[in-house]
Amino acid sequence: MVIKMANEAKNNNENGGFMIKVATFIVDRRNLFFLLFGIALIFSVVSMNWTKVENALSAYLPDTTETSRGLDRMEEQFITYGTAKVMVTNIPYDEAERIYDELSELETIIMLDFDNEPEYYNNFSALYNITFGYDEKDERALEALEEVKLMLEGYDIYVSTAMGNASAEQLAQEMTVISVLVAIVVVSVLLFTSQTWAEVPVLLLTFCSAALITKGTNFMMGTISFVSNSVTIVLQLALSVDYAVIFCNRYKEEHQTLGIREADIVALSKSIPEIFSSSLTTMGGLIAMMFMQFGIGSDMALCLIRAILLSLLAVFLLMPGLIMLFGNAMDKTKHKSFIPDIPFVGKFAYKTRFIIPPLFIVVLVGAYLIQSHCPYVYGYTQLETPVQSEAMLVDEMIDESFGKDNFVALVVPAGNYEKEKKLLKELDARPEVDHSQGLANTEAMDGYMLTDKLTAREFSELLELDYEVAELLYMAYAVNDENYAKIVNGFSNYGVPLIDMFMFLYDEVDEGYVTLDDDLMETLEDAHTKMQIALDQLQGEEYSRMLIYLTLPEEGEETFAFLDEMHKIAGKYYDINEVLIPGNSTSQYDLYKTFQRDNAVVNVVSILAVLVVLLFTFMSAGMPVLLIVVIQGVIWVNFAVPSMQQKNVFFLSAMIVSSIQMGANIDYAIVISGRFMELKDKMSKKDAIIETMNFAFPTIVTSGTMLALAGIFIGQMSSDGAVCGIGQCLGRGTILSIFTVMFVLPQILLLGEKIIDKTSFAVSMPLKLERSSGLMRVDGIVQGQVNGTMIGEFHGLLRGEANMIVNMGKMENRHDDGSDLVDLLRKEDKESDV
C-alpha cells in the first residue's frame, strides 16, 4: 500500500492541482449545475413518455436467425388478423350455442370457431376462437374485442389474446411497487449506516435525480426492451449507490480538519478518480453483454452503462452543491454509528486461514461441475414465477379445460398446390403433428378442398351453374392465364383450383361480365369472403404459409430435433434454403443456439474487462487473478443452486446476472483486498485482517444489502419470467458474494499475500535525502526529522530545519517575509488559483 500511496502522491503532484481547480469550479458554480440539473429533470418528466418499449424477445434475435427471417417474410407476404380466445364458464351447451349465434352477427368478426366437440365445449365451459377483421396491430381489433366483452357482460368470461400490452402494463405496475419498496430499503439502510441524519436527503436527491434523468433519456435509444425498461432504474440505484457513499464518507473525513467548502473541494478532487476507477469494474462486466449475438444484451448493457455514467455525473456535479446546502445541517445532526465493529470475523479468518482456502477450492470444483448441468430454458412455458399475471392465470385455465396449442408456421415458395398437398399429407402422418392447416387441406364445400382442381362440369355442378356459363368462364380464365392450348384442345379435362376459379368468378361478376341469380350471388359472396381471409393469411405473392400444430412442448430436445426434421421433409419438395419455420418453438431453438455462443463470450469478455481494470488498480498480476477466481467461483455456486434444485432458469437471466455479478460484486472484494494490503506491513497480519474487516463491513453491508434486497424484491414480485429470473439470480448471487468476501476472501488474502507481493510490477521510486532550513514548501510522502512547525497534509509550508527522505514529490525553499504560516499558505493557494 506504500507503493499505492506513493503513486497517489505522484498523481497529486501532477494532477492534484488540476483536480483541485476542477473541484473548485464545480463547488463554486453549484448554482449553475442546479439550474442545468433542474432543466434536465423537467425535460425528463416530459420525455420519459417518448420511449418505445419492445415486448417481444424474438425482436432481438440476430437478423440471420430463422425466426427473424421468418417473421420478416410473413410480415411482407401475409396479413395476420387479430385473434382472441374467449372462454365462457358455467353455461349449458344451449346457452353456448346462443352466444355463438350472437357473436356471429358482429360485423367485426370474420371467423368464429365453436361446436360441440370437447375442444370447444367442456365441463360447462365454452371456448370461442375469434378472428377479427383487422390486423392484430390495428387499434380497431382491440376495440372489437371490447365490443365482445361488452356483449358478454354478466357472464364469467376469460380472454386470452396476443393483442395489446396487458402483460407489459402489469409488469410496469409491478416494477412501480418494487421501486417504492427498494426506495424504502435504501432509506432504511442509509439511516442505519449514516453518521449524520442530514446526509440521507443529500444521497437520496442525488440518486433520484440520476434515476429520473436516466428514464428521461431512454428515448435516445429509439426502442428499448421491456427487460431494460423494467429493471434499469432499480439496478442503477443498487449498483451506483457506492459512488455517492464514497464521496460522502470522503467529505466527512476531510471535514474533520477543514471547513465545509474546503472539505467539499478536497473530497471531490480525491473522489473523482477513486469513484471513476470503481465504476470501471461494473462497466467492464456490462460491456461484456454487448458482445452477445442476442441483441437484448447490447440493449441492456447500453441502458445500464448510461445509467451508471449519469449517476457519476450526478455525484460529481450535483452532489457537491447539495453538500454545500446541507453542510450545516449535517454538522448539527451527527449521531453515533449504528454499525458495530466485527472483530470476530477477522479473528475467525486468521484462525482458519489454512482450512477455508482448500475447502473453497473443493467447493469451486464441485460448483463448476454442478452448474454445468443447470436446466436453462428459452421460453416462459416451463418457468414458475411467485406471482402470476392475470393473462397467465387465464391461459392456465383455458389450457386446463381445452388443452394447449403449440404451432409453427411453415413458409414455402408459392405456386404449386400439389406440392403443398403432398407436404401437408406427409407431415400429418407424423406422430409429432396433431393437425395442419393450409390452403391445400382446407375444405371449401361439399368435400372439395380449396386447392382441388375442378373441371368446368364439376364446377357447374358444385354451384348449380349452367354448364355453358361455366364453360365460357373457364375459357375466359384460360385466356387470362394465357393457356391458349386448352382453348384449342377443349375443356373436358381442364382443371382449375377451386379457390382460383372462385376468385376469378367473383372478379368477373364484380366487373359486370357475368350475372348470377340472388341465391348463387349470396353463395359466391359468402365463399369469396372466407376464401379472401384464407388467402390473406396463407398465401402471399411469393410464398405460401401453412400452420403445423404439434403434439410436442414448445421447447426441448425432442421439439428442436423435429424442427430440423421438418426442414428435411420440406426439402423434398422445395429448395431447403427457401423453407422457413417461424414460431415460438423455433424462436426458442434460435435462442438456444445463440446462448451456446453468447454464454461463453460474455463470461470470457467480462473476466478480461475486469482483469484489465484490476491489473492497473493493484499493479500486481496475482491480486486480479485471485479476486476474479473468488467472484467467478461465487457465480458458479449461484447457478449450482438451481441445478441441484432442478429448477429451470431463464437463459437471459443467467447471462445478465453473470455480467453484473462479476462487475459489481467484485467491488466488495476490492475494498477488503486494498485495505488489507495497506495495513499488512504496518501491523501484524492478525491485527491487519481484523482492522480490514471492521473497515470494510459498513461499505459492504450498505451496498450489498441494497443490491440483494433489490434482486429479492424483483424475483418475488414480478410475473414476467425474464425479469423475475434476473431478480432471483441477482439476489441469491449478491448474498453469496457478501458471504464469500466476508468469510472466505480474508483467509485467501492471509494465505496468498506473499504471492501477491511477488507478482507486483509496480515501479519503485528512488529516494531522495533532502536537507534544508528556513521557509520550505513540502509536497509528497516524506519521512525524517523536523525541527519547527508544519501546517498541511503532505502539501504545506514548513519553517525550521528539515532533514528528511522524500519518497515521492519535492521540497523547495521559499522566500520568507516573516508572515504567519497560515497567511503564507492562503497567499500561495490564491496565487495557485489564479
Side-chain angles (χ1 to χ4, degrees):
M1 199 62 193
V2 171
I3 295 172
K4 183 178 180 182
M5 291 177 63
N7 288 334
E8 288 178 354
K10 181 179 179 181
N11 290 335
N12 285 334
N13 284 330
E14 297 175 355
N15 303 321
F18 173 74
M19 292 307 301
I20 286 289
K21 290 180 180 179
V22 170
T24 302
F25 176 82
I26 293 172
V27 172
D28 290 345
R29 300 293 187 275
R30 55 188 176 275
N31 289 333
L32 170 63
F33 291 109
F34 286 156
L35 175 63
L36 293 176
F37 270 86
I39 294 172
L41 289 171
I42 294 172
F43 176 79
S44 296
V45 170
V46 177
S47 64
M48 67 171 60
N49 297 318
W50 301 348
T51 304
K52 296 180 181 178
V53 180
E54 175 57 64
N55 296 306
L57 289 176
S58 58
Y60 292 92
L61 282 166
D63 293 337
T64 56
T65 60
E66 184 171 12
T67 298
S68 293
R69 291 185 294 129
L71 292 175
D72 290 342
R73 183 173 295 177
M74 289 196 300
E75 187 172 352
E76 293 172 1
Q77 297 284 319
F78 313 107
I79 296 176
T80 301
Y81 289 106
T83 60
K85 290 183 177 181
V86 178
M87 182 172 74
V88 184
T89 61
N90 303 317
I91 57 172
Y93 182 73
D94 291 342
E95 184 72 9
E97 275 194 320
R98 190 184 65 79
I99 292 175
Y100 170 75
D101 293 336
E102 290 182 1
L103 290 174
S104 300
E105 296 298 321
L106 293 178
E107 294 182 358
T108 54
I109 295 178
I110 57 175
M111 288 182 64
L112 180 62
D113 295 333
F114 175 78
D115 56 35
N116 198 20
E117 296 296 323
E119 59 185 299
Y120 293 110
Y121 185 81
N122 188 30
N123 295 329
F124 293 98
S125 296
L127 180 66
Y128 304 94
N129 285 340
I130 301 174
T131 301
F132 298 102
Y134 309 103
D135 188 281
E136 64 179 353
K137 298 178 181 178
D138 194 323
E139 286 295 324
R140 290 176 296 178
L142 286 173
E143 293 172 2
L145 179 58
E146 290 301 318
E147 184 182 7
V148 170
K149 292 180 181 178
L150 186 62
M151 175 181 288
L152 298 177
E153 194 173 12
Y155 292 97
D156 295 328
I157 67 169
Y158 302 91
V159 179
S160 174
T161 181
M163 300 186 300
N165 297 311
S167 297
E169 292 170 1
Q170 177 160 343
L171 179 59
Q173 294 172 357
E174 293 168 353
M175 293 310 301
T176 299
V177 175
I178 291 170
S179 298
V180 171
L181 289 175
V182 171
I184 293 173
V185 168
V186 168
V187 173
S188 302
V189 171
L190 291 178
L191 287 173
F192 178 75
T193 58
S194 67
Q195 295 174 333
T196 168
W197 301 120
E199 73 183 61
V200 176
V202 172
L203 297 173
L204 289 178
L205 286 171
T206 304
F207 299 152
C208 294
S209 298
L212 187 57
I213 295 174
T214 298
K215 199 164 184 64
T217 53
N218 281 338
F219 78 95
M220 297 171 61
M221 294 183 63
T223 301
I224 64 173
S225 70
F226 72 96
V227 179
S228 300
N229 188 56
S230 300
V231 302
T232 295
I233 300 302
V234 177
L235 292 183
Q236 176 188 16
L237 178 62
L239 289 173
S240 61
V241 65
D242 282 350
Y243 311 148
V245 171
I246 289 172
F247 179 32
C248 188
N249 290 339
R250 175 68 76 173
Y251 164 76
K252 289 182 289 186
E253 181 181 338
E254 298 294 340
H255 190 40
Q256 293 177 2
T257 57
L258 298 174
I260 294 176
R261 174 180 175 275
E262 290 75 16
D264 200 3
I265 292 172
V266 173
L268 181 59
S269 68
K270 294 180 178 179
S271 296
I272 289 176
E274 181 180 356
I275 293 172
F276 187 72
S277 297
S278 176
S279 70
L280 288 178
T281 56
T282 303
M283 287 191 284
L286 295 173
I287 287 172
M289 292 197 295
M290 298 178 67
F291 288 83
M292 290 168 55
Q293 286 181 314
F294 191 33
I296 206 167
S298 295
D299 177 83
M300 192 161 187
L302 290 173
C303 283
L304 283 172
I305 290 173
R306 177 167 47 82
I308 289 173
L309 291 175
L310 288 171
S311 295
L312 291 176
L313 287 177
V315 171
F316 295 155
L317 302 180
L318 177 63
M319 190 172 169
L322 294 175
I323 287 177
M324 293 297 294
L325 283 180
F326 288 85
N328 291 326
M330 291 171 67
D331 292 340
K332 295 176 182 178
T333 58
K334 290 182 179 179
H335 61 81
K336 184 179 179 181
S337 175
F338 301 117
I339 301 180
D341 287 339
I342 50 170
F344 66 92
V345 175
K347 292 177 182 178
F348 172 78
Y350 190 77
K351 289 181 180 179
T352 59
R353 64 190 184 278
F354 298 112
I355 301 173
I356 296 297
L359 288 177
F360 185 65
I361 293 175
V362 173
V363 171
L364 283 189
V365 174
Y368 173 77
L369 295 174
I370 294 173
Q371 65 85 35
S372 62
H373 300 288
C374 186
Y376 295 114
V377 295
Y378 309 90
Y380 285 4
T381 56
Q382 299 184 40
L383 289 175
E384 295 181 3
T385 56
V387 176
Q388 286 189 301
S389 67
E390 183 179 342
M392 294 167 66
L393 292 172
V394 169
D395 288 340
E396 188 174 311
M397 291 179 64
I398 294 176
D399 292 344
E400 286 179 359
S401 297
F402 301 101
K404 181 176 179 60
D405 289 335
N406 176 30
F407 67 92
V408 293
L410 177 57
V411 182
V412 299
N416 194 320
Y417 294 140
E418 290 299 320
K419 285 185 177 181
E420 292 180 26
K421 186 174 184 178
K422 291 177 182 179
L423 174 56
L424 289 172
K425 184 177 181 180
E426 183 170 351
L427 287 173
D428 280 332
R430 294 294 299 250
E432 297 91 347
V433 175
D434 182 74
H435 66 281
S436 63
Q437 181 182 353
L439 292 178
N441 66 354
T442 298
E443 185 176 352
M445 56 177 61
D446 293 351
Y448 286 111
M449 301 300 164
L450 286 172
T451 61
D452 285 351
K453 289 185 176 181
L454 276 69
T455 63
R457 184 165 298 281
E458 290 170 332
F459 188 74
S460 68
E461 293 173 354
L462 178 65
L463 290 185
E464 297 180 357
L465 182 68
D466 187 77
Y467 176 70
E468 285 74 16
V469 175
E471 194 173 39
L472 289 173
L473 185 64
Y474 267 62
M475 184 179 296
Y477 184 90
V479 172
N480 187 68
D481 198 36
E482 298 183 356
N483 199 344
Y484 303 110
K486 295 297 181 182
I487 300 175
V488 176
N489 298 328
F491 291 93
S492 58
N493 296 318
Y494 179 36
V496 177
L498 178 59
I499 189 171
D500 293 347
M501 185 52 67
F502 254 108
M503 302 306 288
F504 181 73
L505 174 58
Y506 183 85
D507 291 339
E508 293 293 294
V509 171
D510 189 51
E511 293 176 9
Y513 298 121
V514 177
T515 303
L516 302 176
D517 59 46
D518 291 342
D519 290 341
L520 192 53
M521 191 64 201
E522 184 179 348
T523 301
L524 178 63
E525 287 181 345
D526 183 60
H528 174 268
T529 300
K530 294 180 179 178
M531 290 181 182
Q532 187 61 55
I533 294 170
L535 286 172
D536 289 340
Q537 297 186 91
L538 300 176
Q539 183 170 290
E541 293 183 3
E542 299 173 345
Y543 294 93
S544 291
R545 174 167 63 176
M546 293 163 270
L547 302 181
I548 313 300
Y549 290 81
L550 306 177
T551 59
L552 302 170
E554 280 194 0
E555 66 175 290
E557 292 183 6
E558 188 179 1
T559 303
F560 296 158
F562 185 65
L563 290 175
D564 291 334
E565 184 66 20
M566 283 181 65
H567 277 283
K568 294 178 181 177
I569 294 172
K572 299 177 183 178
Y573 306 95
Y574 302 96
D575 180 355
I576 197 167
N577 295 318
E578 289 290 319
V579 176
L580 294 174
I581 310 177
N584 288 339
S585 293
T586 304
S587 174
Q588 289 161 32
Y589 192 18
D590 287 335
L591 291 172
Y592 163 77
K593 288 184 283 190
T594 59
F595 176 69
Q596 307 308 307
R597 180 257 189 198
D598 285 348
N599 193 39
V601 170
V602 167
N603 286 334
V604 171
V605 174
S606 61
I607 289 173
L608 290 177
V610 173
L611 179 64
V612 170
V613 175
L614 294 181
L615 279 173
F616 288 97
T617 299
F618 289 100
M619 305 296 283
S620 167
M623 180 67 83
V625 172
L626 184 150
L627 297 185
I628 287 175
V629 167
V630 170
I631 298 300
Q632 184 61 54
V634 177
I635 294 174
W636 290 337
V637 174
N638 188 14
F639 291 101
V641 173
S643 182
M644 290 186 292
Q645 297 174 335
Q646 281 302 294
K647 183 179 179 181
N648 293 332
V649 176
F650 193 56
F651 79 104
L652 181 63
S653 306
M655 287 193 291
I656 290 175
V657 171
S658 295
S659 298
I660 293 176
Q661 200 172 344
M662 176 57 72
N665 291 175
I666 203 166
D667 283 346
Y668 311 151
I670 292 173
V671 171
I672 293 175
S673 304
R675 188 68 170 182
F676 175 73
M677 297 305 291
E678 177 184 353
L679 297 176
K680 70 182 182 67
D681 294 326
K682 297 180 180 180
M683 56 186 75
S684 69
K685 301 296 187 294
K686 181 178 180 180
D687 291 339
I689 201 65
I690 292 173
E691 177 64 26
T692 293
M693 300 313 296
N694 287 337
F695 168 80
F697 182 62
T699 300
I700 295 173
V701 75
T702 302
S703 177
T705 300
M706 292 181 187
L707 187 57
L709 288 177
I712 291 171
F713 284 144
I714 293 172
Q716 294 301 312
M717 300 180 65
S718 174
S719 60
D720 182 85
V723 175
C724 173
I726 291 172
Q728 290 175 340
C729 295
L730 184 61
R732 182 177 61 243
T734 303
I735 292 172
L736 288 170
S737 295
I738 293 173
F739 177 84
T740 303
V741 299
M742 292 292 294
F743 296 101
V744 177
L745 179 62
Q747 290 89 328
I748 294 176
L749 289 173
L750 286 166
L751 205 61
E753 53 99 8
K754 291 183 179 179
I755 297 175
I756 296 170
D757 286 340
K758 290 181 180 180
T759 57
S760 172
F761 52 81
V763 179
S764 300
M765 302 303 295
L767 303 181
K768 298 183 291 182
L769 181 62
E770 301 281 353
R771 293 186 177 88
S772 185
S773 62
L775 181 64
M776 294 158 278
R777 176 82 187 195
V778 179
D779 289 285
I781 298 175
V782 296
Q783 178 182 349
Q785 297 179 343
V786 176
N787 182 15
T789 58
M790 188 173 182
I791 182 171
E793 182 181 355
F794 296 108
H795 307 281
L797 295 176
L798 179 150
R799 179 184 283 140
E801 295 180 357
N803 183 12
M804 59 184 69
I805 295 173
V806 181
N807 291 328
M808 179 68 67
K810 59 185 178 181
M811 192 169 72
E812 299 176 340
N813 281 82
R814 296 297 176 91
H815 174 68
D816 189 357
D817 61 4
S819 301
D820 183 74
L821 276 180
V822 175
D823 294 335
L824 288 172
L825 185 59
R826 288 175 177 169
K827 181 180 178 182
E828 284 209 357
D829 286 342
K830 288 181 180 179
E831 292 174 354
S832 176
D833 289 341
V834 172

